[in-house]
Amino acid sequence: MIKAILIFNNHGKPRLIRFYQYFTEDMQQQIIRETFHLVSKRDDNVCNFLEGGSLIGGSDYKLIYRHYATLYFVFCVDSSESELGILDLIQVFVETLDKCFENVCELDLIFHMDKVHYILQEVVMGGMVLETNMNEIVAQVEVQNRLEKSEVLNCLFCHVNSSPINREATKPAVPDQHRLRPL
Amino acid sequence: MPAPIRLRELIRTIRTARTQAEEREMIQKECAAIRSSFREEDNTYRCRNVAKLLYMHMLGYPAHFGQLECLKLIASQKFTDKRIGYLGAMLLLDERQDVHLLMTNCIKNDLNHSTQYVQGLALCTLGCMGSSEMCRDLAGEVEKLLKTSNSYLRKKAALCAVHVIRKVPELMEMFLPATKNLLSEKNHGVLHTSVVLLTEMCERSPDMLAHFRKLVPQLVRILKNLIMSGYSPEHDVSGISDPFLQVRILRLLRILGKSDDDSSEAMNDILAQVATNTETSKNVGNAILYETVLTIMDIKSESGLRVLAINILGRFLLNNDKNIRYVALTSLLKTVQTDHNAVQRHRSTIVDCLKDLDVSIKRRAMELSFALVNGNNIRGMMKELLYFLDSCDPEFKADCASGVFLAAEKYAPSKRWHIDTIMRVLTTAGSYVRDDSVPNLIQLITNSVEMHAYTVQRLYKALLDDISQQPLVQVASWCIGEYGDLLVSGQCEEEEPIQVTEDEVLDVLEGLLVSNLSAAVTRGYSLTAIMKLSTRFSGVNRIKKVVSIYGSSIDVELQQRAVEYNALFKKYDHMRPALLERMPIMEKSASNGPTEIVQTNGETEPSVVDSKHPPPVSQPANQANDLLDLLGGNDVVPVIQTTVPTKPASAGGELLDLLGDLSLSGVPTPAPSVATSQPSFLLDGLSSQPLFNDIAAAAIPPMTAYNKNGLKIDFTFERANPNPNVAVITIHASNSTEADMTDFVFQAAVPKTFQLQLLSPSSNVVPALNQGTVTQVIRVLNPQKQQLRMRIKLTYTLKGSPVQDLAEVNNFPPQSWQ
């Protein structure tokens, strides 16, 4: 079972946090800090597995992480998940983000936190892996986004006075070093 | 009021904050705006506000006031609202808040919604944070969705079912019919989640496991198709067809094949095929191979297959990729118990991994190395491990040191080697060793009689070099105290003897007493050592002077010792040689447990032992064996003492005092009416004074606390070993009526000066007609040693009707609280 999925940047600022087990808010922030502390110390040429910190509990748990450009993707899992399999899962997730956001970078994750959550919901549910086929995931997310958009447009025609809610911002050009690429 | 700002705006604003305080201010302002917007019950902007709230929650700010708003969003008809509402519910709510139950109805409706995505959202939320009540209510809906033909919903329903089973295991049978044709699905997503569901059910219930064994051929077929089928673009990951599904199936096969010959037989071929055909150039291939290896090792596979598996692991170890090596070391650690010889062949590679730069790999390699040590390779391995100990990070030193001690104890080829090894550990990692290594080492030294001179010489030399490592200093000072005469006389067969005078030795020991580096315990050791030398050295005056100086030391422990030693010089000088003579050989009863050292001082106690032998009882082995052996005859009753070896054997005086306190008139023999017989054996055998310390618990007789309406509750007592103020009471509830008592709950309350801790009961059904008992442990802390009183409340259901009763327990035997 996956206990938590954390995405934070090179300075420890959280970009997405998802816990599949209950922790109070204080504990959650503490876990993020501790995980960042452990992961940032690692060199780039060591293995991607870390024995978990004491907070997230137990000797059964380990941290599996991958470092892409400015972001760390950390999955905290227990022994029922295959370590190498989770590494592949992280890769699939990032590639899916890439497809959904077109050359995804950290800014996308910052400004579209809710969308990233929706994509993650199609990959991992309740701490277990739901779907690993990238195209499936992207297709399902697209349909749901279209559903949302059509509702918004309906609203537009119904409410005369409300200002148009423009959800698609034009994307600024993204400098290369911020593009997410595996190290 | 103006429209609330969009999420994007908020994020942009927050990012401009330069300090933490500025950020907090912005967020508080926005929170206030959101709160007033919530109060206005504005439907249009609610989803925007909740989105902002979730963002702020991620940054670590409190967001609980948004919980009800999430519920309102979930109840809305719009998909947009529902989407953010469910996300908010998953992030902000959990079963600990009562509010979450309000969601149940909404989820129920949404599970039957016409749009599949809304159904999906509901399933997702239920599967993430559904409480047991919610799961119970909605399990039927989930089960219905598990049978639908819509693959999007089916896979989500499968995972939701896993969550339901985890929360409410009794509902597992409900999902059984739906699993019938799960594996005949074509959609890989559904297949994947179905395998997860089957895995969960098999892990939870052995009946299910037996039931699903018949699926093995089907699983093997699916796996075969995956391997043999050519390139299929939709499931391809780096050239391998759906590796995630392959890994899952392999894992399920592992569970099904464990300890079952037929299933294992059916799997052999496919496992061999996967193992040989999989491409290993990419990580995905290795993931599959790794899973295959684990499966082969766990099921009853034929030996050829096992050898293949270990060889694959060996190849992994040589791989450049660190992850692969880590994974290989982990699995070798799992298999080293069963296939020890096969793993031995890779020993040199594993030992090389000790030198790797990666911390995780080093740790695994260290654990594995310790597992591989045996009588043949001990010398070589130990050299490597000691070298590792020298150079490793501090976090490893403690574990490595204990590992070295254990290995040395088990396989030491000679005493001298053993002592050398331990000394090496103490000098390199001295401050990281565990506390019990000092007494263990001392005991080891005492037992190797022929090595005394060598040992003391080496320790003395080590002391001259470095007095900062406390365990080493403690052991050294104890040895010098015991064997100082050997040191000074300069006899040593093993090594070149050194020339040391008595004064030099005393200089060193006194140096320890005054040094800042010495801990209080160490000072105690060295003072005692100096004292012991008074019988072994000729120059007593210097020692007398030192001892009298410390009679006024600020440290209470040192002062007490010095004063007592002074008294020894003045009033009891005739006893001094006898008291300070060499320590006899100590026998260890347990290597890892509490240090019970049975010491025969050569002092015999007059005993009044009944000639009838105590009945043999199952006991903690150590105590029982020692006691039974020694009580075999009718004579010596040894005194069991946890000794601190540095205390001079002035035990003579202390023992007599202690025994004087105990009542020699005998202990009333209790009516043993209860199941546990641990204390009663001693009481049957000895009608004389009980042996004190842990055995003192034997003195406290059990009692009946409550006996009414067929329910009888007996209390048996023990004293918790480390803390004499804690009484450990075990209750035994038995039922003499004809029907079982179900939902049995025992509660207890004690007066304010006590503290009570109730551990969990063995069960809550008391079987009828005294066929069994329910036991529960109570720990009572009684620091003021007041009379123990307790009020108990019993609730149970007998023949369908609930029964409740209160009672006071006042008849505690005096020994339980004194």
Side-chain angles (χ1 to χ4, degrees), chain A residues 1-54:
Chain A
M1 172 172 161
I2 301 173
K3 211 170 181 189
I5 296 180
L6 310 171
I7 305 179
F8 42 76
N9 71 357
N10 289 346
H11 304 293
K13 280 217 87 98
R15 295 303 174 210
L16 182 118
I17 57 171
R18 188 65 211 260
F19 285 89
Y20 292 101
Q21 188 180 321
Y22 176 68
F23 290 104
T24 63
E25 270 102 20
D26 291 326
M27 276 297 284
Q28 288 186 4
Q29 291 299 317
Q30 226 176 326
I31 289 172
I32 297 172
R33 275 195 296 272
E34 191 192 48
T35 311
F36 169 66
H37 186 67
L38 284 170
V39 159
S40 56
K41 278 198 297 195
R42 306 275 283 172
D43 236 353
D44 276 334
N45 54 0
V46 298
C47 72
N48 298 92
F49 311 119
L50 258 182
E51 256 67 61
S54 54

Side-chain angles (χ1 to χ4, degrees), chain B residues 389-600:
Chain B
L389 184 62
D390 278 337
S391 52
C392 69
D393 301 325
E395 59 205 47
F396 289 126
K397 290 209 189 211
D399 291 327
C400 192
S402 357
V404 167
F405 284 150
L406 276 169
E409 209 176 288
K410 277 203 275 204
Y411 301 112
S414 73
K415 287 248 163 86
R416 170 169 172 171
W417 182 92
H418 196 173
I419 292 182
D420 277 342
T421 309
I422 297 193
M423 284 216 39
R424 174 91 186 267
V425 174
L426 286 180
T427 43
T428 49
S431 18
Y432 299 98
V433 296
R434 280 212 314 251
D435 294 332
D436 63 350
S437 52
V438 172
N440 286 348
L441 178 54
I442 288 177
Q443 188 251 325
L444 170 67
I445 293 176
T446 343
N447 286 351
S448 36
V449 178
E450 66 281 5
M451 303 292 303
H452 284 168
Y454 169 72
T455 313
V456 70
Q457 192 166 290
R458 282 211 61 186
L459 283 170
Y460 179 75
K461 282 201 274 202
L463 258 194
L464 288 177
D465 281 330
D466 173 22
I467 57 170
S468 61
Q469 313 256 34
Q470 296 303 299
L472 179 63
V473 172
Q474 287 165 11
V475 174
S477 39
W478 188 89
C479 275
I480 295 178
E482 280 290 305
Y483 311 119
D485 47 336
L486 292 177
L487 182 63
V488 172
S489 65
Q491 345 158 297
C492 179
E493 297 107 23
E494 305 274 344
E495 240 188 21
E496 189 68 33
I498 55 175
Q499 305 300 327
V500 179
T501 65
E502 295 181 359
D503 278 325
E504 286 173 351
V505 175
L506 286 172
D507 280 339
V508 169
L509 286 175
E510 285 184 44
L512 288 177
L513 275 174
V514 296
S515 162
N516 286 336
L517 295 167
S518 301
V521 178
T522 315
R523 280 186 239 255
Y525 270 86
S526 46
L527 187 61
T528 309
I530 294 180
M531 187 60 195
K532 283 193 211 170
L533 288 175
S534 70
T535 45
R536 294 159 178 57
F537 282 3
S538 46
V540 186
N541 291 325
R542 181 168 173 186
I543 297 178
K544 272 197 202 165
K545 224 175 23 188
V546 172
V547 167
S548 60
I549 291 175
Y550 280 90
S552 44
S553 156
I554 296 182
D555 183 345
V556 178
E557 171 75 22
L558 274 184
Q559 191 190 89
Q560 178 177 359
R561 287 185 191 217
V563 164
E564 283 177 4
Y565 295 158
N566 249 338
L568 208 53
F569 273 125
K570 299 209 173 65
K571 288 202 277 183
Y572 300 100
D573 209 38
H574 54 286
M575 282 174 76
R576 197 162 47 88
L579 285 174
L580 297 178
E581 69 179 13
R582 284 256 206 283
M583 291 290 242
I585 297 186
M586 294 182 251
E587 270 153 36
K588 274 221 293 211
S589 50
S591 55
N592 283 334
T595 43
E596 296 274 358
I597 302 182
V598 178
Q599 189 172 349
T600 50

